Amino acid sequence: MNQALRHIGRTLAIALPVVLVLSGTLAVSRVSWVGPADDQMETASAEQQPLTPEDTLRDRLLLTLRQQDPSAALTGLQEAVTRDPSLAPHCAEIAQALGAAAVEKYGSSRRAQQHSRPVCDTSFAAGVAAAG
């Protein structure tokens, strides 16, 4: 099972940058390099969606993780969910994102896993495993 996951991870590690470069190249080739009209700029700014509370929390906790450590971010997540129970349905998703970011920060799932705690069940550990 671990070998299969590693194989999938390596395949994605090779294929994903290629896909991103190609899609970026296609996007750049389709951009109108003439400046947008004023009405187009107004439409674009009106279409931007404000960040949801869970997006704001996730972004803040990812910054905490990068500046401090995963333990501080997990503590922040637990405190936020306790303060605002409406964030509870998003807890697992945020914890998984923190797990993946911890692997990115430390470069190894073993080191990232040392910070695992039972915040939102085992979602942090699941994020570490998926990224590692």
Side-chain angles (χ1 to χ4, degrees):
M1 178 90 174
N2 275 342
Q3 284 184 321
L5 290 175
R6 283 189 183 135
H7 180 68
I8 291 170
R10 287 182 183 141
T11 303
L12 286 175
I14 292 169
L16 190 59
V18 172
V19 170
L20 291 175
V21 168
L22 290 175
S23 64
T25 303
L26 292 173
V28 169
S29 68
R30 293 179 185 222
V31 170
S32 169
W33 293 101
V34 178
D38 288 338
D39 60 336
Q40 287 177 331
M41 290 181 70
E42 290 175 16
T43 303
S45 64
E47 291 175 1
Q48 290 179 347
Q49 298 293 323
L51 289 177
T52 61
E54 60 271 13
D55 290 337
T56 303
L57 175 62
R58 183 196 64 239
D59 293 348
R60 182 173 53 87
L61 293 174
L62 287 170
L63 182 63
T64 299
L65 184 143
R66 288 183 188 108
Q67 291 177 344
Q68 296 175 28
D69 61 31
S71 296
L74 287 169
T75 298
L77 176 58
Q78 187 64 52
E79 290 171 351
V81 170
T82 300
R83 258 190 330 271
D84 185 358
S86 70
L87 293 170
H90 309 284
C91 187
E93 178 184 339
I94 294 170
Q96 284 181 346
L98 292 174
V103 172
E104 184 179 313
K105 177 177 181 171
Y106 294 120
S108 85
S109 56
R110 172 176 258 160
R111 187 155 177 226
Q113 192 65 33
Q114 291 174 346
H115 295 275
S116 185
R117 292 187 306 189
V119 176
C120 308
D121 296 322
T122 58
S123 298
F124 178 82
V128 168

